[in-house]
Short mmCIF file of all heavy atoms in Angstrom, two decimals:
data_model
loop_
_atom_site.label_atom_id
_atom_site.label_comp_id
_atom_site.label_asym_id
_atom_site.label_seq_id
_atom_site.Cartn_x
_atom_site.Cartn_y
_atom_site.Cartn_z
N LYS A 18 19.43 23.56 8.18
CA LYS A 18 19.05 22.73 9.33
C LYS A 18 19.86 23.07 10.59
O LYS A 18 19.34 23.04 11.69
CB LYS A 18 19.28 21.25 8.98
CG LYS A 18 18.07 20.61 8.36
CD LYS A 18 18.37 19.15 8.09
CE LYS A 18 18.72 18.42 9.36
NZ LYS A 18 19.63 17.30 9.20
N ILE A 21 18.59 25.10 13.93
CA ILE A 21 17.14 25.11 14.19
C ILE A 21 16.93 24.47 15.57
O ILE A 21 17.55 23.45 15.87
CB ILE A 21 16.37 24.30 13.12
CG1 ILE A 21 16.63 24.88 11.72
CG2 ILE A 21 14.86 24.32 13.42
CD1 ILE A 21 15.88 24.15 10.60
N PRO A 22 16.08 25.07 16.41
CA PRO A 22 15.85 24.42 17.71
C PRO A 22 15.39 22.98 17.53
O PRO A 22 14.78 22.63 16.52
CB PRO A 22 14.75 25.28 18.35
CG PRO A 22 14.23 26.17 17.28
CD PRO A 22 15.28 26.28 16.23
N ARG A 23 15.68 22.15 18.52
CA ARG A 23 15.42 20.71 18.35
C ARG A 23 13.98 20.33 18.69
O ARG A 23 13.58 19.18 18.46
CB ARG A 23 16.44 19.91 19.16
CG ARG A 23 17.84 20.09 18.55
CD ARG A 23 18.95 19.45 19.36
NE ARG A 23 20.22 19.58 18.66
CZ ARG A 23 21.34 20.02 19.21
NH1 ARG A 23 21.36 20.37 20.48
NH2 ARG A 23 22.44 20.10 18.49
N GLN A 24 13.22 21.26 19.21
CA GLN A 24 11.78 21.07 19.40
C GLN A 24 11.11 22.43 19.31
O GLN A 24 11.78 23.46 19.43
CB GLN A 24 11.47 20.41 20.77
CG GLN A 24 11.70 18.90 20.81
CD GLN A 24 10.90 18.11 19.79
OE1 GLN A 24 9.87 18.54 19.29
NE2 GLN A 24 11.40 16.92 19.44
N PRO A 25 9.78 22.47 19.13
CA PRO A 25 9.09 23.76 19.13
C PRO A 25 9.03 24.34 20.54
O PRO A 25 9.30 23.65 21.52
CB PRO A 25 7.70 23.39 18.62
CG PRO A 25 7.52 21.96 18.97
CD PRO A 25 8.88 21.34 18.90
N PHE A 60 4.03 17.89 9.22
CA PHE A 60 4.80 18.36 8.07
C PHE A 60 5.75 17.27 7.58
O PHE A 60 5.90 16.21 8.20
CB PHE A 60 5.60 19.61 8.44
CG PHE A 60 6.56 19.41 9.59
CD1 PHE A 60 7.88 19.06 9.36
CD2 PHE A 60 6.13 19.55 10.91
CE1 PHE A 60 8.77 18.87 10.42
CE2 PHE A 60 7.01 19.36 11.97
CZ PHE A 60 8.32 19.01 11.73
N GLN A 61 6.37 17.56 6.45
CA GLN A 61 7.34 16.61 5.90
C GLN A 61 8.76 17.11 6.17
O GLN A 61 9.06 18.29 5.88
CB GLN A 61 7.13 16.47 4.40
CG GLN A 61 7.91 15.31 3.83
CD GLN A 61 8.08 15.39 2.33
OE1 GLN A 61 7.92 16.44 1.72
NE2 GLN A 61 8.45 14.29 1.72
N PHE A 62 9.61 16.25 6.67
CA PHE A 62 11.04 16.59 6.79
C PHE A 62 11.64 16.52 5.39
O PHE A 62 12.35 15.57 5.05
CB PHE A 62 11.75 15.57 7.69
CG PHE A 62 11.40 15.66 9.15
CD1 PHE A 62 10.66 14.66 9.77
CD2 PHE A 62 11.82 16.73 9.94
CE1 PHE A 62 10.36 14.71 11.12
CE2 PHE A 62 11.53 16.80 11.30
CZ PHE A 62 10.79 15.78 11.88
N HIS A 63 11.29 17.51 4.56
CA HIS A 63 11.59 17.36 3.13
C HIS A 63 13.08 17.36 2.82
O HIS A 63 13.50 16.76 1.86
CB HIS A 63 10.86 18.42 2.31
CG HIS A 63 11.42 19.80 2.42
ND1 HIS A 63 11.57 20.44 3.62
CD2 HIS A 63 11.86 20.65 1.47
CE1 HIS A 63 12.08 21.65 3.39
NE2 HIS A 63 12.26 21.79 2.09
N GLN A 64 13.86 18.04 3.67
CA GLN A 64 15.27 18.13 3.30
C GLN A 64 16.07 16.86 3.58
O GLN A 64 17.15 16.67 3.05
CB GLN A 64 15.94 19.31 3.99
CG GLN A 64 17.13 19.77 3.18
CD GLN A 64 17.82 20.95 3.80
OE1 GLN A 64 18.49 20.85 4.83
NE2 GLN A 64 17.65 22.09 3.16
N THR A 65 15.52 15.99 4.41
CA THR A 65 16.28 14.77 4.73
C THR A 65 15.61 13.51 4.17
O THR A 65 16.10 12.40 4.40
CB THR A 65 16.43 14.63 6.27
OG1 THR A 65 15.18 14.88 6.88
CG2 THR A 65 17.45 15.60 6.81
N ARG A 91 12.35 11.73 18.23
CA ARG A 91 11.68 12.68 17.35
C ARG A 91 12.57 12.98 16.15
O ARG A 91 12.43 14.01 15.50
CB ARG A 91 11.38 13.98 18.12
CG ARG A 91 10.61 13.75 19.43
CD ARG A 91 9.20 13.24 19.22
NE ARG A 91 8.35 14.27 18.68
CZ ARG A 91 7.46 14.98 19.37
NH1 ARG A 91 7.28 14.73 20.66
NH2 ARG A 91 6.71 15.88 18.79
N PRO A 93 14.32 13.33 12.55
CA PRO A 93 13.78 13.48 11.18
C PRO A 93 13.97 12.23 10.32
O PRO A 93 13.29 12.09 9.31
CB PRO A 93 14.61 14.64 10.60
CG PRO A 93 15.21 15.34 11.77
CD PRO A 93 15.38 14.30 12.84
N MET A 99 7.61 12.13 8.54
CA MET A 99 6.65 13.14 8.99
C MET A 99 7.06 13.72 10.33
O MET A 99 7.49 13.00 11.23
CB MET A 99 5.26 12.53 9.14
CG MET A 99 4.58 12.41 7.81
SD MET A 99 2.85 12.11 8.09
CE MET A 99 2.46 11.34 6.55
N GLY A 100 6.87 15.04 10.45
CA GLY A 100 7.17 15.72 11.70
C GLY A 100 5.89 16.26 12.32
O GLY A 100 4.88 16.46 11.63
N LEU A 101 5.97 16.51 13.64
CA LEU A 101 4.81 16.96 14.40
C LEU A 101 5.30 18.02 15.39
O LEU A 101 6.18 17.73 16.20
CB LEU A 101 4.25 15.75 15.16
CG LEU A 101 3.07 16.00 16.07
CD1 LEU A 101 1.82 16.29 15.26
CD2 LEU A 101 2.84 14.77 16.95
N SER A 102 4.75 19.23 15.29
CA SER A 102 5.19 20.30 16.18
C SER A 102 4.00 21.11 16.66
O SER A 102 3.13 21.46 15.86
CB SER A 102 6.13 21.27 15.45
OG SER A 102 7.33 20.63 15.12
N ASP A 124 9.95 24.74 14.93
CA ASP A 124 11.31 24.19 14.78
C ASP A 124 11.52 23.74 13.33
O ASP A 124 12.10 22.69 13.09
CB ASP A 124 11.55 23.03 15.77
CG ASP A 124 10.45 21.97 15.71
OD1 ASP A 124 9.41 22.19 15.05
OD2 ASP A 124 10.64 20.90 16.33
N LEU A 125 10.99 24.52 12.37
CA LEU A 125 10.95 24.07 10.98
C LEU A 125 11.83 24.92 10.06
O LEU A 125 11.85 26.16 10.15
CB LEU A 125 9.51 24.13 10.44
CG LEU A 125 8.47 23.36 11.22
CD1 LEU A 125 7.17 23.33 10.47
CD2 LEU A 125 8.95 21.97 11.47
N LEU A 126 12.43 24.22 9.14
CA LEU A 126 13.24 24.83 8.10
C LEU A 126 12.35 25.68 7.18
O LEU A 126 11.20 25.30 6.90
CB LEU A 126 13.84 23.67 7.29
CG LEU A 126 14.86 23.95 6.22
CD1 LEU A 126 16.13 24.53 6.83
CD2 LEU A 126 15.20 22.64 5.49
N THR A 129 9.47 24.27 4.43
CA THR A 129 8.94 22.95 4.80
C THR A 129 7.48 22.80 4.36
O THR A 129 6.65 23.67 4.63
CB THR A 129 9.03 22.75 6.34
OG1 THR A 129 10.41 22.78 6.71
CG2 THR A 129 8.40 21.45 6.79
N1 SAH B 1 8.99 18.70 16.50
C1 SAH B 1 9.23 17.85 15.35
C2 SAH B 1 10.66 17.96 14.83
C3 SAH B 1 11.73 17.50 15.78
S1 SAH B 1 13.29 17.35 15.02
C4 SAH B 1 8.89 16.41 15.67
O1 SAH B 1 9.00 16.02 16.81
O2 SAH B 1 8.50 15.68 14.76
C5 SAH B 1 13.65 19.03 14.80
C6 SAH B 1 14.76 19.16 13.80
O3 SAH B 1 14.26 18.83 12.51
C7 SAH B 1 15.28 20.58 13.65
O4 SAH B 1 16.27 20.84 14.61
C8 SAH B 1 15.83 20.56 12.23
O5 SAH B 1 17.19 20.20 12.24
C9 SAH B 1 15.06 19.44 11.54
N2 SAH B 1 14.17 19.94 10.49
C10 SAH B 1 13.25 20.93 10.58
N3 SAH B 1 12.60 21.07 9.40
C11 SAH B 1 13.13 20.16 8.55
C12 SAH B 1 12.87 19.80 7.19
N4 SAH B 1 11.95 20.42 6.48
N5 SAH B 1 13.60 18.79 6.63
C13 SAH B 1 14.54 18.14 7.37
N6 SAH B 1 14.83 18.43 8.65
C14 SAH B 1 14.14 19.42 9.24
#
Side-chain angles (χ1 to χ4, degrees):
K18 270 182 59 210
I21 301 181
R23 292 174 176 131
Q24 282 302 337
F60 59 93
Q61 191 198 18
F62 289 111
H63 73 304
Q64 205 179 72
T65 46
R91 306 294 288 258
M99 280 195 204
L101 178 70
S102 293
D124 52 350
L125 304 189
L126 187 64
T129 297

